[in-house]
Structures are given as C-alpha cells and as structure tokens.
C-alpha cells in the first residue's frame, strides 16, 4: 500500500521508511503475527515515539529495524528503507557495518549493552572503531561524552567496571556510548523504565539536548506518555501488532482520532485529575496474535464498534494534514459530511 507522505517538507525523504512490514514468531502453539502491515516514517532529525500496551509489538518493531531478532522470527513481507537503502535485502556484512556506525541502540537494561568484565574506558574506545584517531584521542572523546551525560569526575571514573556505577549512571553511560558514534538514527527501547521519576526527567532532557546537538533521529519506545510528550515530535500508537494511529505529538495528545488512542490517554496516570485508589485500565485484554483474523483488531474492547468492524479491516484514513488512523468511524464521518 502506498503511504501518504506526512512530513511537512514533502521534498525531504524520511531517514527511515518502514513499509507494510509483517513479522511472525514461530511457536509450538502456532504462528504469532507480531507485526501486521506496519508502515511508519522517521524523518531526519526528528524524534518519533512508539506507544501502546504491553505486547503490542513496540520492541519487536525496534529490534527488527536494528536487526536483532530471535531465531524464531520471520519477516513475511515489507521493507525497511534506511537513507533509501532496504535493510532487509542488504548483505549481512553491510548491515553490520551500519550498526554502530549510523545506527545505535539504547536498551531498557543497560547491562545488555555493557560488558561486565571490561572497563567503561575500553568499551567506549572500542565503540569508536569507525572513527579516525589514536586510542588516547578516543579516550579523551569518551571522557568528554561522559562529562556531558553528567557522570561526575569522568577522568578518574572511566577506568571503573559497569558494576561500580548505579543503574541510572549505567544508563547514562549507555546513552554516551550510543551517541559517541554520532548515529543518524538512535533506537531507544524503554530507556527510562525502571528508573525513578527524577532520573527519568533528567535522562529525557539529556536525550533531547544531545539529539538537537548531534542532529540525529530517534525512535523512542515508551510506556510513559509524559516522556513521549516531552521528547517526541511525532507518535505512533501500536495495538496488537498494528500501528492504529500516527501523527504529531500535538494532534495525538490533543485530538486523538482512534478509540484506542483515546482509551490509552484516559488511563494515563499523568492525566488523571481526580484522586483515586485504583488506576483505570482499558477493559478487556490484548487479543491473541495467533492465527488469521478479520475485521478491526480492537473491536472486542471498543465501545463504539459496529457491524462493519467485524467483517472489514479498517484502512488508514487521513485527519487534517498530518495525522492518520485506522478506524471505520472516520470513513462513516466522511460519508455523512459528503
Ligand atoms: P512491552 O511493553 O511489554 O515491552 P511490546 O509492545 O514491546 O511489550 P513485544 O515484546 O514486541 O511487545 O511483543 C509483541 C508480541 O510478540 C507479544 O505477544 C510477545 O509475546 C510476542 N513475542 C515477542 N518475542 C517473541 C518470541 N521470541 N517468540 C514468540 N513470541 C514473541
Ligand atoms: Fe472501534 Fe470499529 Fe473503529 Fe475498530 S474500526 S476502533 S472497532 S469503531
Ligand atoms: Mg517491549
């Protein structure tokens, strides 16, 4: 399916273009359709957030872009174009060269990225293997980057091992490492989950400053809608393996068009004004991703579902200039007003 160009400067090609991506996981119970017809753009120098309940496919999408999938994953259709080149048809060696050179990742658990038996210094020097210069020059760059992410006294601490740092500091070190290579695209999967609220705010601000300075794009996966609102330019809302709505942060947070986006916002603890003992949740559960299905994936939980939602898959409808959503209601409204 050809996608509407949602970028305001229509002459600029997005840095990352995900087109009709489908991915299954093979399991003893059958094939899990974890990504269905996912299309998403990440424009150059912009931050795109991905939100959605647990199990909606956010991490699967992030890991597919970076090329770190488990063995039981199979991409059954689609393309991922990075700077115009299809990552999925690229030879493995060429794709590896991109990783760590133009593409970087920050994981939820910093220990996934750090080697526990090597010093921070040696890891930060090695990550610059694409760069010119001596080890001492690279060491100086590493100290400078540690200073910028707020590690106190980096000159004396750079020789320490990962376990000598707190969780928040390790995450800062991972951000420093990911940005040291000046990537064109940084993928961050829940980089602040598990950190306390103050640290989260500090890390989000840091990411924002460094993104502006380096001019890179970020694909930012998060449960935390407040963090997404603060950091991102655009947001994609995922549900059960599909992108159900996408638009600018302003449109998604102030003018959500899809019933799922509205339900997600209503349950956001950051938006609840009344005092309550129990936080609201969206009634029902994310549906099984096993097997084939017909109709809207959200219909079992949607208070506005009608007969068409059972038989027909909603396509992407455009709202205004810069927002799209997959919901039949948008087509019905269009028909009424025509
Ligand atoms: P969370 O917010 O909990 O991190 P998520 O949106 O990142 O969730 P994913 O981890 O991408 O969701 O998972 C999407 C779906 O794919 C889930 O149903 C999950 O159980 C399934 N899945 C993920 N990895 C595998 C795997 N290796 N094998 C089988 N199923 C998997
Ligand atoms: Fe609800 Fe139907 Fe829209 Fe799906 S297509 S979100 S079931 S109204
Ligand atoms: Mg995840």
């Amino acid at each position: 399916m050809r996608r509407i160009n949602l970028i305001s400067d229509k002459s600029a090609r997005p840095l990352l273009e995900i087109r009709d991506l489908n991915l299954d996981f093979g399991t003893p119970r059958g094939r899990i359709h974890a990504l269905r017809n996912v299309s998403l753009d990440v424009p150059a120098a912009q931050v795109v957030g991905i939100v959605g309940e647990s199990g909606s496919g956010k991490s699967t999408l992030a890991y597919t872009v970076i090329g770190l999938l488990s063995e039981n994953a199979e991409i059954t259709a689609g393309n991922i174009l990075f700077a115009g080149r299809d990552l999925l048809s690229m030879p493995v060696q060429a794709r590896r060269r991109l990783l760590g050179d133009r593409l970087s990742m920050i994981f939820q658990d910093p220990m996934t990225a750090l080697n526990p038996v090597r010093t921070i210094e040696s890891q930060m020097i090695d990550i610059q293997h694409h760069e010119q210069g001596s080890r001492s020059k690279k060491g100086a760059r590493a100290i400078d980057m540690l200073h910028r992410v707020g590690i106190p006294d980096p000159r004396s601490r750079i020789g320490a091992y990962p376990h000598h740092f707190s969780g928040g500091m390790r995450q800062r070190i991972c951000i420093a490492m990911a940005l040291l290579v000046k990537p064109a695209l940084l993928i961050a999967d829940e980089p602040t989950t598990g950190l306390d609220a103050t640290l989260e705010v500090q890390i989000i601000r840091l990411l924002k400053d460094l993104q502006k300075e380096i001019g890179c794009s970020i694909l930012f996966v998060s449960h935390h809608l407040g963090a997404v609102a603060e950091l991102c330019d655009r947001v994609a809302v995922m549900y059960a393996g599909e992108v159900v709505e996408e638009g600018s942060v302003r449109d998604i947070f102030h003018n959500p068009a899809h019933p799922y986006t509205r339900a997600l916002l209503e349950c956001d603890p950051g938006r609840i004004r009344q005092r309550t003992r129990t936080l609201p949740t969206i009634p029902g559960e994310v549906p099984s991703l096993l097997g084939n299905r017909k109709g809207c994936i959200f219909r079992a939980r949607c208070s506005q579902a009608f007969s068409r939602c059972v038989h027909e898959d909603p396509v992407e409808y455009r709202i205004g200039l810069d927002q799209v959503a997959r919901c039949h209601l948008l087509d019905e409204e269009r028909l009424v007003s025509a």
Side-chain angles (χ1 to χ4, degrees), residues 54-55 57-60 63 108 189-190 221 223:
S54 189
K58 306 181 297 296
S59 297
T60 303
Y63 282 95
Q108 180 178 341
D189 185 14
E190 310 265 7
V221 174
H223 271 104

Side-chain angles (χ1 to χ4, degrees), residues 8-24:
S8 39
D9 176 4
K10 297 210 167 25
S11 60
R13 184 170 195 166
L15 178 68
L16 183 74
E17 300 163 81
I18 301 171
R19 292 287 170 268
D20 296 319
L21 190 66
N22 284 268
L23 180 143
D24 293 351

Side-chain angles (χ1 to χ4, degrees), residues 155-301:
R155 195 171 292 280
S156 65
R157 299 210 66 189
I158 196 167
Y161 289 86
H163 67 269
H164 291 135
F165 295 87
S166 68
M169 279 195 187
R170 284 200 286 258
Q171 195 56 296
R172 281 163 185 265
I173 292 168
C174 288
I175 292 174
M177 282 174 66
L179 292 172
L180 205 51
V181 293
K182 297 198 183 74
L185 175 66
L186 175 68
I187 298 178
D189 185 14
E190 310 265 7
T192 55
T193 307
L195 301 181
D196 66 49
T198 319
L199 256 179
E200 177 173 39
V201 172
Q202 284 174 11
I203 287 196
I204 295 295
R205 293 205 176 130
L206 177 69
L207 267 179
K208 200 169 180 167
D209 290 348
L210 291 172
Q211 180 264 336
K212 286 216 161 69
E213 197 180 310
I214 292 169
C216 63
S217 304
I218 303 182
L219 188 61
F220 179 74
V221 174
S222 182
H223 271 104
H224 191 166
L225 298 180
V228 169
E230 169 132 11
L231 179 67
C232 300
D233 301 295
R234 306 189 60 78
V235 192
V237 182
M238 287 193 76
Y239 181 71
E242 295 184 7
V243 173
V244 294
E245 182 160 10
E246 194 214 333
S248 68
V249 162
R250 199 184 162 76
D251 287 337
I252 297 293
F253 282 86
H254 295 288
N255 187 29
H258 196 284
Y260 177 65
T261 311
R262 289 201 283 266
L264 205 59
L265 291 172
E266 278 162 19
C267 296
D268 178 23
R271 293 182 153 227
I272 294 164
R273 298 274 166 264
Q274 279 170 345
R275 294 185 81 185
T276 169
R277 278 173 178 274
T278 47
L279 287 172
T281 51
I282 306 173
E285 283 170 16
V286 177
S288 162
L289 303 178
L290 286 166
N292 293 325
R293 56 145 196 96
K294 200 152 185 56
C296 174
I297 190 108
F298 186 54
R299 68 175 187 274
R301 302 169 79 186

Side-chain angles (χ1 to χ4, degrees), residues 46-241:
Q46 289 211 11
V47 187
V48 176
I50 306 181
V51 298
E53 283 166 292
S54 189
S56 55
K58 306 181 297 296
S59 297
T60 303
L61 184 59
Y63 282 95
T64 309
V65 173
I66 207 93
L68 293 175
L69 283 171
S70 55
E71 280 188 357
N72 61 338
E74 187 192 350
I75 295 166
T76 56
N79 307 94
I80 303 178
L81 302 177
F82 177 74
R85 293 172 70 200
D86 189 2
L87 294 178
L88 301 180
S89 58
M90 197 178 266
V92 179
Q93 289 300 332
R95 195 161 182 192
R96 262 195 209 133
R97 273 199 299 275
L98 272 183
L99 194 68
D101 181 6
R102 304 207 63 209
L103 279 169
S104 275
M105 179 135 188
I106 307 173
F107 300 87
Q108 180 178 341
D109 174 7
M111 287 314 268
T112 311
L114 295 171
N115 184 334
V117 295
R118 294 184 58 210
T119 64
I120 297 300
E121 183 174 31
S122 64
Q123 297 185 57
M124 289 188 83
I125 289 176
D126 282 2
I127 205 159
Q128 299 175 64
H129 61 274
H130 295 281
E131 304 276 334
Q132 300 288 324
S134 61
R135 281 184 78 78
S136 66
K137 211 168 181 177
K138 290 178 182 177
R141 263 192 223 133
I143 290 170
D144 179 51
M145 193 49 109
L146 287 178
H147 176 70
R148 279 156 67 195
V149 299
I151 301 292
D153 194 13
R155 195 171 292 280
S156 65
R157 299 210 66 189
I158 196 167
Y161 289 86
H163 67 269
H164 291 135
F165 295 87
S166 68
M169 279 195 187
R170 284 200 286 258
Q171 195 56 296
R172 281 163 185 265
I173 292 168
C174 288
I175 292 174
M177 282 174 66
L179 292 172
L180 205 51
V181 293
K182 297 198 183 74
L185 175 66
L186 175 68
I187 298 178
D189 185 14
E190 310 265 7
T192 55
T193 307
L195 301 181
D196 66 49
T198 319
L199 256 179
E200 177 173 39
V201 172
Q202 284 174 11
I203 287 196
I204 295 295
R205 293 205 176 130
L206 177 69
L207 267 179
K208 200 169 180 167
D209 290 348
L210 291 172
Q211 180 264 336
K212 286 216 161 69
E213 197 180 310
I214 292 169
C216 63
S217 304
I218 303 182
L219 188 61
F220 179 74
V221 174
S222 182
H223 271 104
H224 191 166
L225 298 180
V228 169
E230 169 132 11
L231 179 67
C232 300
D233 301 295
R234 306 189 60 78
V235 192
V237 182
M238 287 193 76
Y239 181 71

